[in-house]
Amino acid sequence: MSTVESRRRPLVGAGVNRVDGPRKVTGTAPYPMDFSVPGQAYGALVQSTIAAGRIVRMHTEAAEGAPGVIGVLTHENAPRVGTGPVTVLGASPPAPLRSDRILHHGQHIAFVVAETPEQAGAAARLVRADYEATEPLLDLQDPRAEHLVDPWGMDTSRGDTAAAMASAEVTLRATYTTADNTNNPLGLFATLAAWEGDTLTVHDTSQWPSMVRTSLAMAFGVPESSVRVLVPYVGGGFGAGLRAWPHVILTAMAARVLRRPVKLVLTRPQMFTSVGHRPSGVQWLRVGATRDGELLALNHRSLISLSMEDNDFEPFASATAFAYRCPNVITQDRQARINIAVPTSMRAPAEAQGNFALESALDELACTLGIDPVELRLRNHTDVDPRNGLPWSGKALLECYEVGARRFGWSRRNPRPRSMRDGNWLVGYGMASALFPYFAQPCAAQATVRGDGSALVRSAATDIGTGTYTVMAQLAAEELGLPLDMVRFDLGDSDMPNSMMAGGSGLTGALGNAVHDACRRLVRSFTELAWADPESPLRGVPPGGVECTDGTIHPVGRPDLGESYVEILARHELSERTANGTSSPPVAEELGMSPAGAYGAKFVEVRVDADLGLLRVARVVSVIDGGRILNEKTARSQIIGGTVGGIGMTLFEDTVTDPRTGRIANATFGDYLVAVNADVPDLDVVFVGEPDRGTATGTKGVGEVGLVGIAPAIANAVYHATGKRIRRLPITLDALL
């Protein structure tokens, strides 16, 4: 069954409705906070009211005597637990209740368990702590902060950047600042933990059940086989669910100590300090170029906020090393430890911030040189990976520029700032390139065809709203030659074959390749059964010479000579047949190509009130090279969602920390602003390009690239409209007055 033949089938690529859609719209999809078990108690967190220092004494007597209270855990009586694993995203968060040290405002200092959630919450408010406070470090650029230099070993240097910069005909130097954002998925994070002896079952809000299982096993010193993590549905994540957070460990700890199942649902303010946030940062960028716009040198440095005891992975500057053709490049990232809650990945991690600086700087360069911003990028486009000279496995960025400019009407742009008006509104056009680097981890899947001809495919992945349930069912149906309604894809259970996280735009590719492998192996096993069977019309037909149509295996191009799965199973007296599949990330040297992530071009029109400085996004055109699109409907939804997140990042989102106390001042939806319907215009999304050559399924992830590029495109459009260059996010009203 050739890849070309399989791609002609209509199941994959079509805008199929989500298979989990009916459960979601009818309210029957079970989210983590919806689960209950007999005899469960309820937990509530107590959090610190200082940002740095130590606890002198805990006062828990009033809480322990409150109605319904079963127990109160503090650092004074909590059992010690182990530290979780170091993953590709860095070290696990610090274990909870391990000492009297306070590292940030809102740190968990006690856990109250009661018969009802109301009793637990009321008792938690009775817990008091005496502190010995110290002055917190809260300013990212405080010279007293400890710096981690090149924390991930990803700094790059090629050529002689200093000499190239010195000899460049045109140079540019600028500083860009991005704010702390909070992920804020709609669904509050929840954990339900139940022990039976040394066996632990946990319902958790997670984007990575396999990692949570490993973390819990390490924390409590039990085999991974004794831990089961269930996550059938997630009410949003955006990266917040990529770690086993301290509250998850606390819930399981309380359940073990009290010998009762315990359930915890975070409050909205607790979400701001308990499940990560996009780190703030400052970036310094220098550009050297010829008067014709050829890039000669790029020097991109960043300083990124980090908590006191954590190792978040967020290399802002790294993608500058391969975004454009440039012979002399330096990228340097460092982190500063300050008294803040642990940062984590937030949609388009690192690229959201790094791309804002790079693409804003290129727009400044284009304006300085009098070159059209699109033309400047065309002149510096590269078809090879500048780091190793290998061609990309798939890159249709030139087509993104062409299609985007045409659909947007870029040719109507008068390049002079403040030259385009609509009444009292200043009109601005801006654009930016977008990329999100290739990312994947090993993945496994299992495929089964049963006696009735239906198929069950499984993997311990999660669907955070991206459409994993649907696209994996589509892919399996295509490979097995079954109607979509005869295929079920199950996920969200750590007892299933191991899966990578739903993050980094990597799951669809890695899991899709594992599903592809499992289904191919399953078809082969059926063919091998029939190959030696004198009663089968497939006798003697080699496994590589078949294809599957409507539940029937037949020689390529000969559906009349086929035999169904049902017939093969029945004749061999089998109730079902199963095969396992795996995938591993491609290696550039083995491929002879560099694995390419997703690319895009973003075109934005803004309107700015000439008197009041009011800023409105009027239009956004996103043209995306996402490789082979498995489901255009869900993929378009991902780009739309990313665009909305990009608008929020650019215009509204800023997690404000009190500079004296370290308290987050806007930890509610009433105070933390996000983009709403009134802020979002009609969004035009177009997919271009071909299947990626680097993987079996030809896919790239599109979850992150929808957000990348929106911030600089808006900022560049604001400059075109007003003549004011904004280098700090979010863009607030005062910056435009």
Side-chain angles (χ1 to χ4, degrees):
M1 181 165 35
S2 73
T3 302
V4 172
E5 287 161 351
S6 68
R7 286 178 183 159
R8 290 174 182 163
R9 298 199 175 111
L11 272 177
V12 168
V16 174
N17 290 338
R18 295 175 185 265
V19 297
D20 53 323
R23 298 196 74 183
K24 288 183 174 178
V25 299
T26 57
T28 57
Y31 292 90
M33 70 170 62
D34 296 327
F35 285 94
S36 297
V37 295
Q40 75 185 23
Y42 295 85
L45 294 168
V46 180
Q47 298 178 287
S48 69
T49 56
I50 65 170
R54 57 181 290 269
I55 301 170
V56 176
R57 182 184 174 190
M58 293 294 301
H59 299 275
T60 61
E61 299 82 2
E64 290 166 340
V69 171
I70 303 167
V72 180
L73 294 175
T74 71
H75 72 280
E76 297 170 344
N77 64 353
R80 299 284 293 182
V81 296
T83 302
V86 176
T87 73
V88 293
L89 301 182
S92 293
L97 304 185
R98 63 177 180 170
S99 75
D100 60 4
R101 292 182 64 214
I102 299 299
L103 303 177
H104 67 89
H105 197 289
Q107 179 179 319
H108 307 330
I109 60 172
F111 192 73
V112 178
V113 182
E115 296 290 350
T116 70
E118 293 79 13
Q119 290 171 334
R125 290 189 287 274
L126 299 176
V127 176
R128 296 288 182 268
D130 295 334
Y131 299 105
E132 182 181 284
T134 58
E135 182 185 358
L137 292 175
L138 298 170
D139 182 352
L140 174 63
Q141 300 190 68
D142 191 316
R144 296 171 296 170
E146 175 192 356
H147 280 198
L148 277 65
V149 178
D150 191 15
W152 314 284
M154 295 182 67
D155 285 2
T156 60
S157 178
R158 69 171 180 266
D160 189 339
T161 303
M165 202 75 70
S167 63
E169 295 174 299
V170 178
T171 61
L172 179 146
R173 183 196 301 259
T175 301
Y176 302 91
T177 305
T178 54
D180 178 343
N181 299 161
T182 299
N183 304 50
N184 273 319
L186 185 60
L188 297 171
F189 275 32
T191 303
L192 170 60
W195 289 88
E196 288 187 17
D198 285 334
T199 299
L200 172 63
T201 301
V202 172
H203 295 270
D204 185 45
T205 308
S206 174
Q207 297 170 233
W208 197 358
S210 298
M211 177 274 302
V212 176
R213 178 185 62 181
T214 301
S215 299
L216 289 167
M218 293 177 68
F220 295 102
V222 299
E224 288 193 22
S225 59
S226 296
V227 180
R228 188 180 188 188
V229 179
L230 300 168
V231 198
Y233 291 91
V234 181
F238 312 114
L242 291 175
R243 290 183 165 197
W245 295 106
H247 73 270
V248 180
I249 310 298
L250 276 175
T251 306
M253 178 194 296
R256 195 178 209 190
V257 169
L258 300 174
R259 300 181 184 277
R260 286 185 61 175
V262 176
K263 180 177 181 177
L264 171 71
V265 180
L266 298 181
T267 65
R268 181 57 61 183
Q270 288 169 351
M271 293 282 287
F272 279 75
T273 54
S274 302
V275 294
H277 54 96
R278 190 193 302 281
S280 59
V282 180
Q283 300 175 70
W284 298 271
L285 214 149
R286 295 186 63 196
V287 183
T290 67
R291 295 197 184 281
D292 292 332
E294 179 186 350
L295 292 176
L296 299 178
L298 288 169
N299 187 324
H300 190 171
R301 297 180 296 118
S302 80
L303 182 64
I304 307 156
S305 60
L306 184 67
S307 63
M308 285 296 182
E309 291 188 3
D310 185 62
N311 291 286
D312 177 49
F313 180 78
E314 205 92 1
F316 285 13
S318 64
T320 294
F322 53 88
Y324 292 98
R325 185 181 66 252
C326 183
N328 306 285
V329 177
I330 290 176
T331 67
Q332 295 177 329
D333 289 300
R334 62 176 56 191
Q335 294 173 303
R337 291 200 182 278
I338 54 179
N339 291 105
I340 58 172
V342 173
T344 193
S345 299
M346 185 170 169
R347 195 168 192 170
E351 277 309 295
Q353 302 97 316
N355 174 269
F356 167 64
L358 177 61
E359 293 297 316
S360 296
L362 289 185
D363 194 76
E364 294 195 46
L365 179 64
C367 293
T368 299
L369 295 172
I371 298 174
D372 182 273
V374 175
E375 177 61 29
L376 179 74
R377 288 161 174 83
L378 291 173
R379 294 181 187 183
N380 293 284
H381 178 269
T382 176
D383 287 319
V384 302
D385 185 341
R387 296 167 298 184
N388 56 27
L390 294 174
W392 293 108
S393 59
K395 184 177 182 181
L397 183 55
L398 294 177
E399 188 177 358
C400 292
Y401 294 142
E402 178 187 354
V403 173
R406 184 173 65 249
R407 291 180 73 96
F408 184 80
W410 184 258
S411 62
R412 297 194 298 269
R413 175 182 182 268
N414 183 328
R416 185 167 54 85
R418 299 182 69 92
S419 62
M420 298 173 65
R421 275 184 174 261
D422 182 4
N424 203 47
W425 292 97
L426 300 170
V427 178
Y429 286 5
M431 63 83 56
S433 301
L435 71 86
F436 195 84
Y438 180 86
F439 175 71
Q441 289 294 296
C443 221
Q446 184 181 83
T448 300
V449 169
R450 297 174 287 205
D452 62 357
S454 65
L456 172 65
V457 186
R458 308 190 309 152
S459 183
T462 50
D463 187 339
I464 57 173
T466 52
T468 306
Y469 273 117
T470 306
V471 296
M472 292 304 141
Q474 288 178 266
L475 189 59
E478 176 193 78
E479 295 299 336
L480 295 173
L482 290 170
L484 187 59
D485 60 5
M486 291 289 286
V487 177
R488 191 177 94 205
F489 186 79
D490 280 357
L491 50 70
D493 183 344
S494 64
D495 279 358
M496 295 177 184
N498 184 70
S499 172
M500 67 168 283
M501 74 290 285
S505 286
L507 182 62
T508 296
L511 180 56
N513 289 332
V515 168
H516 175 275
D517 186 46
C519 291
R520 292 290 178 98
R521 290 178 183 273
L522 184 56
V523 171
R524 185 180 185 90
S525 75
F526 270 95
T527 308
E528 288 171 346
L529 273 180
W531 182 82
D533 185 348
E535 298 182 35
S536 173
L538 294 173
R539 178 185 172 117
V541 177
V546 302
E547 59 184 352
C548 307
T549 308
D550 297 328
T552 297
I553 304 174
H554 58 83
V556 174
R558 293 296 307 275
D560 55 310
L561 295 180
E563 186 173 25
S564 70
Y565 295 118
V566 174
E567 291 169 323
I568 295 173
L569 289 172
R571 196 165 55 255
H572 290 84
E573 299 182 346
L574 297 172
S575 61
E576 63 183 30
R577 197 154 181 87
T578 296
N580 295 306
T582 60
S583 71
S584 297
V587 178
E589 290 72 22
E590 295 176 3
L591 280 178
M593 299 178 285
S594 272
Y599 289 89
K602 311 296 178 73
F603 293 81
V604 171
E605 177 185 332
V606 301
R607 304 291 179 97
V608 181
D609 187 286
D611 298 323
L612 303 178
L614 297 175
L615 171 59
R616 298 288 184 266
V617 177
R619 288 189 298 141
V620 180
V621 174
S622 299
V623 185
I624 305 297
D625 168 21
R628 183 189 184 202
I629 301 299
L630 299 182
N631 185 323
E632 191 165 332
K633 191 171 188 178
T634 57
R636 175 172 281 105
S637 178
Q638 282 298 290
I639 301 303
I640 289 172
T643 302
V644 174
I647 293 172
M649 175 186 178
T650 311
L651 303 185
F652 305 111
E653 297 189 53
D654 186 0
T655 306
V656 179
T657 298
D658 186 300
R660 295 173 297 106
T661 66
R663 181 183 69 88
I664 294 177
N666 60 338
T668 70
F669 276 167
D671 299 305
Y672 183 88
L673 302 181
V674 297
V676 298
N677 286 349
D679 304 307
V680 179
D682 289 336
L683 306 178
D684 185 15
V685 178
V686 186
F687 294 105
V688 300
E690 299 294 330
D692 191 88
R693 297 175 294 163
T695 67
T697 57
T699 61
K700 302 178 181 182
V702 296
E704 324 284 353
V705 77
L707 189 149
V708 181
I710 296 298
I714 292 175
N716 295 339
V718 166
Y719 172 77
H720 181 233
T722 66
K724 294 183 177 181
R725 182 64 69 179
I726 308 299
R727 302 185 182 95
R728 176 184 293 270
L729 298 183
I731 302 174
T732 51
L733 183 64
D734 56 300
L736 298 176
L737 287 175

